[in-house]
Amino acid sequence: MLLSWEEFRPLQQERLSFDWDRYTAEAEFHLKRRDFGLYRNAKYALLETGFAQHKFSPYGMLVKCFEIYYLDFSGPNNVHGLNSSICSAFKQDTFIAPAVLSWIEDAVKDYPQTLEQYEQIFLTEMEKVRLPEQKTLPKTAWNKLKKLIKECLEYSDEEGID
């Protein structure tokens, strides 16, 4: 079915409508219940929609991508109502969503900085992220992410050389 732009626009807006308050409240609800995996998922939904709708400044997008990376890197931990010694977070269960890595690459392109500046942003902002007791240190997460950021920076340098 072919539509004119005027016919398509309302359909696109309906598809992209998103209840920010509901997802923010959902994230806070899961955080209070110590359901960190579900908290991460609600934050991911906010990021995914914000990315699609271009809702964030370049710096805001970078920080939100870093936050999801940090939550993913820290591993799952949904222990609400359970003894945390029975169901603890295991680092080997860590999975970084491929979309997050792609968004980080885009955010690095849109907010150009030096590797040292990205590190400072990451370390400063991730100190604010609320995680379970088995908190992964931001420096540990940064040391893994640094490789991707370096590759992005090197690739962008190569693009500039013609």
Side-chain angles (χ1 to χ4, degrees), residues 66 69 73 101 104 108 114-116 118-119 122-123 138-154:
F66 280 174
Y69 175 88
F73 185 84
L101 298 176
I104 288 173
V108 165
T114 66
L115 185 62
E116 293 76 21
Y118 286 123
E119 179 177 13
F122 185 88
L123 296 177
K139 186 70 173 172
T140 304
W142 169 255
N143 287 335
K144 292 288 187 182
L145 180 58
K146 180 170 47 176
K147 180 181 177 192
L148 173 69
I149 303 288
K150 271 178 134 172
E151 289 172 2
C152 291
L153 294 174
E154 289 168 3

Side-chain angles (χ1 to χ4, degrees), residues 117-134:
Q117 289 169 319
Y118 286 123
E119 179 177 13
Q120 188 59 45
I121 292 167
F122 185 88
L123 296 177
T124 301
E125 294 292 339
M126 295 313 103
E127 281 297 329
K128 302 172 189 175
V129 175
R130 297 172 285 182
L131 290 174
E133 289 77 24
Q134 304 95 318

Side-chain angles (χ1 to χ4, degrees), residues 23-86:
Y23 275 88
T24 301
E26 179 183 336
E28 289 300 314
F29 172 78
H30 293 308
L31 181 64
K32 287 176 185 168
R33 290 174 48 107
R34 304 183 44 72
D35 291 334
F36 292 97
L38 297 174
Y39 169 71
R40 176 262 181 224
N41 290 347
K43 297 289 271 185
Y44 181 91
L46 285 166
L47 176 61
E48 181 177 43
T49 302
F51 177 78
Q53 295 182 3
H54 308 285
K55 292 285 188 187
F56 305 119
S57 68
Y59 179 82
M61 185 66 187
L62 178 73
V63 170
K64 292 195 181 317
C65 288
F66 280 174
E67 180 183 10
I68 297 298
Y69 175 88
Y70 187 43
L71 291 170
D72 281 353
F73 185 84
S74 296
N77 187 4
N78 289 306
V79 297
H80 177 75
L82 299 173
N83 179 337
S84 62
S85 64
I86 295 171

